[in-house]
Amino acid sequence: MLVSVYVPFLVTAALAALVPPIARRLPPRPAAWALVCVALVTAVGWTGSLALLAFTGVAQIPQIAKEGHWSVAVLRAEDPVYLAVAAGSALALATGIVSLGVAAVRQIRRLVRARQECADLPGRTELAVVDDVPLAFAPPGAPGRIVVSRGMLRCLDDDGRAALLAHERAHLAGRHHLFQGFWRLAAALNPLLRPLAAAGGFVLERWADEEAAACVGDRRVVAHAVARAALASAATSRPPALAATGGAVPQRVKALLSPPPARRRLPFAAGGLLLVLCCASLANAASDNDRMLDNAQWAQCALYADTARSWPADREVRPGLHCVDHDRREHGERHL
Amino acid sequence: MDRSDEGARQASGRRARGELESDVLATLWAARGPLTARETQERLPGDLAYTTVMTILSRLHDKGMVVRHREGRGYAYEPTRDEASHTAQRMHSLLEGGSDREAVLARFVSELSAQDEHLLQQLLSGHGEPPAESERSPRNR
């Protein structure tokens, strides 16, 4: 309990720092699924560890100890967690859960709105063209639509247009909004996972780019379409300030102009190992916690047994029954 | 999930048709003026049969997505523009909003910084990037 409960935090921090830069270089489809696994396991590990730490604090509140029939004194003696740590964990857990709820509500609203707009778009075709500054996106719906502006279509050549449509179709067919939504929910629960969600967004674009390249049959065509579209959009609107470290679009174009990323096993194996470590430590911490609680309950039962003689029989009924149950369980375990 | 997959498989024939419609529509919108069926066919990537293009054009016409007028012995086609500007406003309001918007709507290209723009122009012109040397070819096709 002393060490293992903190391991999921360490694993989460390590993965949050290491995974995003590596994921950007891997083949995008397995990278996206790997990011889903990382987000899922670290979110569970993070929440579980916080809950265990918070519980050790909550369990020492006398009223709760009475309800659960365990001895506060024994728990306090065995418990290696500072009360401040437990309180901090409870706070972090509550904040995470509230922000998860808020994020979930917002995302559902967005999805409903996008779905509605998809249905309301003019025409009964997959493609809806709007008269406007260059823009292209694919709102998910049933069915999803592709919205492209006339300016965007005009800035691309014939192959480039095919690449653009194939890219947006890949987003819709792969249900990429579900991936993105999942990562964002994980990041809402645990802010450490925010870089992971950002990397996920990039990986999804790369995934769609590679699908488009497979569809068009030439990766350079897609590279040019992406570059041209971005330049056309930049001519009309420029964000006031953006990181000057080389944004997503140049990275995508570079990746498409280079040979396809090689399949590698080592990063996946290493990440998988860390995730297994995270799960194992959480399980270990949970079982330690359970044993600690058992001991505290046992001590409480012993206390009841000692004081039973001086107590009126009827007042001892409930704790007595509980202790018998506890006893039986203990013996059963020993016989097994 | 299973049900929607099944639906997608059932609709695969229809979806291919829908994709062709999109391709033709995109070609018409990108053109400077009305296009005949032959011109449309030439601009479409891949080798589609002339009759296929004709079928799609007439279907788009039936749907009210394109208008046509006589040109020589055949028709020239042009996309209808009535609703395009109205839709643009709605789409912009859909795209507005904070980071939660990005969770649902990923744009084809994100915004560029000045440095990105410079970098892209270098990549496009093949400057300093050996794989990009022969990249002019797609444009010349």
Side-chain angles (χ1 to χ4, degrees):
Chain A
M1 175 84 183
L2 187 59
V3 181
S4 58
V5 77
Y6 297 105
V7 170
F9 297 141
L10 290 178
V11 170
T12 305
L15 287 174
L18 293 176
V19 164
I22 296 172
R24 285 164 188 264
R25 286 160 209 275
L26 293 173
R29 182 202 282 260
W33 282 109
L35 285 176
V36 168
C37 292
V38 168
L40 180 68
V41 174
T42 54
V44 169
W46 174 270
T47 315
S49 282
L50 281 181
L52 282 178
L53 286 173
F55 178 76
T56 56
V58 170
Q60 292 178 27
I61 298 171
Q63 285 82 359
I64 290 177
K66 201 173 165 192
E67 204 60 34
H69 309 292
W70 57 68
S71 153
V72 175
V74 172
L75 209 58
R76 197 167 288 162
E78 275 201 47
D79 182 17
V81 179
Y82 289 111
L83 224 63
V85 174
S89 303
L91 195 68
L93 187 65
T95 316
I97 287 173
V98 168
S99 92
L100 175 70
V102 170
V105 168
R106 275 195 193 163
Q107 274 196 27
I108 288 168
R109 259 194 221 148
R110 282 273 164 193
L111 270 178
V112 168
R113 169 106 199 272
R115 199 168 263 255
Q116 218 162 25
E117 291 290 346
C118 274
D120 291 350
L121 276 171
R124 281 166 292 150
T125 46
E126 174 196 35
L127 176 73
V129 181
V130 297
D131 246 337
D132 208 355
V133 293
L135 91 119
F137 65 100
R145 305 284 293 268
I146 298 172
V147 180
V148 185
S149 72
R150 198 173 165 220
M152 182 70 88
L153 289 175
R154 286 211 166 161
C155 78
L156 298 171
D157 54 22
D158 298 340
D159 289 318
R161 278 197 302 279
L164 162 66
L165 291 176
H167 174 105
E168 297 301 342
R169 267 175 210 141
H171 278 320
L172 291 177
R175 296 166 188 272
H176 288 179
H177 65 283
L178 295 181
F179 285 80
Q180 187 66 274
F182 180 75
W183 291 324
R184 276 168 194 271
L185 289 181
L189 185 68
N190 177 5
L192 272 183
L193 295 179
R194 271 182 206 162
L196 199 130
F202 178 78
V203 166
L204 290 181
E205 291 304 318
R206 287 272 307 119
W207 182 350
D209 281 347
E210 293 291 348
E211 295 260 310
C215 182
V216 177
D218 189 343
R219 303 175 79 231
R220 283 174 313 198
V221 169
V222 184
H224 275 254
V226 171
R228 246 172 255 288
L231 287 173
S233 313
T236 54
S237 73
R238 166 79 46 83
L242 213 69
T245 49
V249 173
Q251 283 178 34
R252 281 166 62 194
V253 173
K254 262 189 204 162
L256 283 166
L257 290 176
S258 329
R263 291 192 163 270
R264 278 188 282 164
R265 285 209 193 125
L266 186 65
F268 292 101
L273 217 59
L274 277 176
L275 293 183
V276 168
L277 177 67
C278 178
C279 294
S281 330
L282 183 66
N284 182 34
S287 87
D288 279 357
N289 197 54
D290 195 40
R291 197 177 313 132
M292 198 173 73
L293 213 59
D294 263 0
N295 286 344
Q297 279 180 338
W298 185 245
Q300 188 73 348
C301 287
L303 194 70
Y304 277 131
D306 283 347
T307 52
R309 282 170 222 111
S310 56
W311 277 37
D314 59 322
R315 286 191 58 187
E316 209 216 331
V317 167
R318 272 186 60 223
L321 270 182
H322 169 76
C323 286
V324 167
D325 181 48
H326 187 85
D327 237 5
R328 199 179 293 140
R329 198 152 46 113
E330 285 283 296
H331 283 299
E333 270 172 16
R334 266 175 220 150
H335 285 307
L336 282 172
Chain B
M1 262 317 211
D2 284 338
R3 212 182 49 193
S4 63
D5 276 359
E6 215 171 82
R9 229 172 285 133
Q10 276 176 356
S12 66
R14 253 179 301 144
R15 219 171 98 208
R17 213 169 62 185
E19 287 179 12
L20 283 178
E21 286 181 358
S22 305
D23 295 342
V24 169
L25 205 56
T27 305
L28 290 177
W29 273 98
R32 300 279 163 193
L35 294 181
T36 63
R38 182 69 66 191
E39 286 167 338
T40 312
Q41 184 203 7
E42 281 163 8
R43 288 170 196 225
L44 281 168
D47 24 69
L48 280 176
Y50 177 76
T51 48
T52 312
V53 177
M54 273 305 297
T55 313
I56 296 163
L57 279 170
S58 58
R59 193 179 300 130
L60 285 172
H61 181 254
D62 291 343
K63 286 186 179 181
M65 301 298 289
V66 300
V67 287
R68 65 180 184 194
H69 38 86
R70 282 246 161 238
E71 195 170 292
R73 282 189 296 166
Y75 288 108
Y77 296 83
E78 207 177 1
T80 47
R81 297 220 178 117
D82 305 343
E83 300 198 68
S85 58
H86 170 65
T87 313
Q89 284 172 3
R90 297 187 55 170
M91 286 302 115
H92 267 277
S93 73
L94 187 65
L95 282 171
E96 274 163 16
S99 59
D100 55 321
R101 179 265 297 164
E102 289 157 26
V104 179
L105 304 167
R107 295 172 78 149
F108 180 51
V109 287
S110 49
E111 284 146 333
L112 293 182
S113 69
Q115 200 186 347
D116 283 352
E117 200 174 328
H118 185 62
L119 200 58
L120 273 185
Q121 259 148 4
Q122 275 189 337
L123 287 171
L124 270 184
S125 59
H127 183 84
E129 283 285 323
E133 278 304 331
S134 55
E135 46 66 34
R136 283 274 151 198
S137 57
R139 272 214 105 192
N140 298 339
R141 259 193 236 167

